[in-house]
Amino acid sequence: MQSVKILDQFPNVQWANFKGKDLLRIDEFTGEELMQLLELAVHIKQLQKSGQPYQPLVGKTMGMIFDKASTRTRVSFEVGMHQLGGMAMFMSGKELQLGRGEPISDTAKVMSRYVDVIMIRTFSHAGVEELAKHATIPIINGLTDEFHPCQALADMLTIWEHKGKLKGIKLAYVGDGNNVANSLVLAAALLGLDVRIATPPGYEMNEEIVEQAKVYAQTSGGKLLVTHDPIEAVKDADVVYTDVWTSMGFEKENEQRLNDFAAYQVNDELVSHASPSYIFLHCLPAHREEEVSSSVIDGPHSVVFDQAENRLHAQKAVMAAVV
């Protein structure tokens, strides 16, 4: 069966402008470009479900550098690259010469001569920026301590699928002002959502990111509310989202965080303030009875596994567009 050529079905999109572009943070792309990627993801997903091949990356290779453990990121990228016709190589950061002190710039230059794209999941966002600065191929951020753009793209795809639109959707995020929150808020602001963020005192989002999101919201028609009150955030929300209270790298703070976040659990009482037709999102892995009750994450409003699946389709759209 001949591979379908999807990009040709978008005659008004300048896909050449995407080629070679990095995805280090979600606002590497404009709101319009994000919608184009989401539309591409929908088409790719439909083709996959119908069994039609879409393989624009035959002969292409992706290097995957992992300094942080992963389930969804590794499997979705590796499977996605295979389905697009290319191949993916798993590389532990500890096993590369990076682990023995080779400068990031040298690794970037060498890898650019071997592979066609690099996906990296690591701690330091500055390190990923340094990699991109010296590479001559696209760099995709699979997660850093500051940003998780691929997750945000999958989140927007899931909301769009279940709610039929993005502009004006009321999105409540309750929990830590972490990398997931940073990318989620930027994506929501670019795409015109009404986003509300509720964090405990001392765990707020980065203020520069909040201010940047406000600028995007002014252009897109979106709204942004930052609060310490989870009920204020969730009131009439179409989407309720949370994440773990203790992310990788913060394990030493776990006991303190359990105390500080106790009033921020997403449970039946809190979601009773949301719209009756709300959907629940969580980027996973989840700790049931900590940040979310089992009754919510395993209940009828939860679409967390659709959300997890959409990592595959959203990332395939990114790879197809930039490689």
Side-chain angles (χ1 to χ4, degrees):
M1 186 181 298
Q2 188 174 2
S3 177
V4 176
K5 294 183 178 180
I6 293 185
L7 299 188
D8 294 343
Q9 300 175 18
F10 295 87
N12 296 323
V13 178
Q14 300 299 315
W15 291 111
N17 295 338
F18 287 76
K19 294 302 177 184
K21 195 167 184 177
D22 299 319
L23 177 56
L24 308 187
R25 32 188 291 173
I26 196 69
D27 53 350
E28 301 279 348
F29 296 97
T30 65
E32 182 180 4
E33 289 171 334
L34 288 178
M35 281 306 306
Q36 291 166 355
L37 287 174
L38 292 174
E39 289 175 5
L40 178 58
V42 169
H43 280 264
I44 290 175
K45 184 174 182 177
Q46 290 172 342
L47 285 177
Q48 180 180 320
K49 299 295 185 182
S50 66
Q52 299 182 70
Y54 175 56
Q55 298 187 321
L57 301 186
V58 172
K60 303 293 185 180
T61 302
M62 176 171 61
M64 303 192 304
I65 302 175
F66 282 87
D67 289 323
K68 283 189 173 185
S70 169
T71 299
R72 280 151 290 277
T73 298
R74 178 176 179 180
V75 175
S76 58
F77 267 109
E78 192 161 343
V79 170
M81 191 62 175
H82 173 73
Q83 291 177 348
L84 292 172
M87 65 167 289
M89 300 171 53
F90 172 83
M91 296 173 288
S92 167
K94 295 179 181 179
E95 295 171 356
L96 297 174
Q97 293 298 337
L98 282 170
R100 298 177 60 193
E102 180 176 52
I104 292 175
S105 57
D106 286 0
T107 296
K109 292 171 184 176
V110 170
M111 292 291 288
S112 294
R113 299 188 179 212
Y114 291 152
V115 301
D116 301 285
V117 57
I118 293 173
M119 188 285 299
I120 180 168
R121 181 179 172 93
T122 188
F123 295 89
S124 168
H125 190 75
V128 175
E129 292 178 328
E130 181 74 4
L131 185 70
K133 177 180 177 181
H134 295 281
T136 57
I137 56 176
I139 305 299
I140 299 174
N141 176 7
L143 177 143
T144 63
D145 285 345
E146 292 185 49
F147 298 104
H148 200 351
C150 294
Q151 181 64 58
L153 197 61
D155 298 339
M156 294 300 111
L157 178 58
T158 307
I159 295 169
W160 190 23
E161 285 182 335
H162 282 272
K163 292 299 180 181
K165 65 175 185 176
L166 289 172
K167 282 188 178 295
I169 287 292
K170 296 177 181 178
L171 166 62
Y173 175 91
V174 178
D176 191 15
N178 59 13
N179 49 4
V180 169
N182 289 341
S183 292
L184 181 71
V185 168
L186 289 172
L190 283 163
L191 292 167
L193 283 77
D194 175 357
V195 60
R196 303 91 167 271
I197 305 296
T199 62
Y203 297 92
E204 296 87 354
M205 288 180 54
N206 180 293
E207 187 58 33
E208 290 184 9
I209 294 172
V210 171
E211 291 304 313
Q212 185 62 67
K214 289 179 180 178
V215 172
Y216 295 146
Q218 288 175 355
T219 301
S220 68
K223 297 178 182 179
L224 178 60
L225 170 69
V226 178
T227 180
H228 294 306
D229 184 350
I231 294 177
E232 182 182 18
V234 170
K235 184 174 175 56
D236 300 324
D238 302 300
V239 183
V240 179
Y241 195 135
T242 194
D243 189 12
V244 294
W245 291 342
T246 306
S247 299
M248 284 181 287
F250 296 89
E251 288 82 2
K252 292 182 179 179
E253 302 176 7
N254 187 57
E255 185 174 349
Q256 182 65 49
R257 284 172 172 263
L258 290 178
N259 291 326
D260 293 343
F261 283 83
Y264 290 79
Q265 183 186 77
V266 177
N267 51 34
D268 291 329
E269 193 284 324
L270 181 60
V271 297
S272 70
H273 299 277
S275 165
S277 60
Y278 85 95
I279 58 172
F280 173 73
L281 298 181
H282 191 306
C283 58
L284 303 181
H287 297 155
R288 287 165 172 79
E289 309 312 328
E290 286 188 15
E291 74 273 7
V292 59
S293 65
S294 297
S295 58
V296 171
I297 192 171
D298 297 321
H301 294 272
S302 177
V303 296
V304 298
F305 296 111
D306 291 347
Q307 179 188 8
E309 178 188 339
N310 279 336
R311 286 288 302 278
L312 172 66
H313 308 301
Q315 290 161 189
K316 284 170 69 176
V318 172
M319 290 187 286
V322 305
V323 178

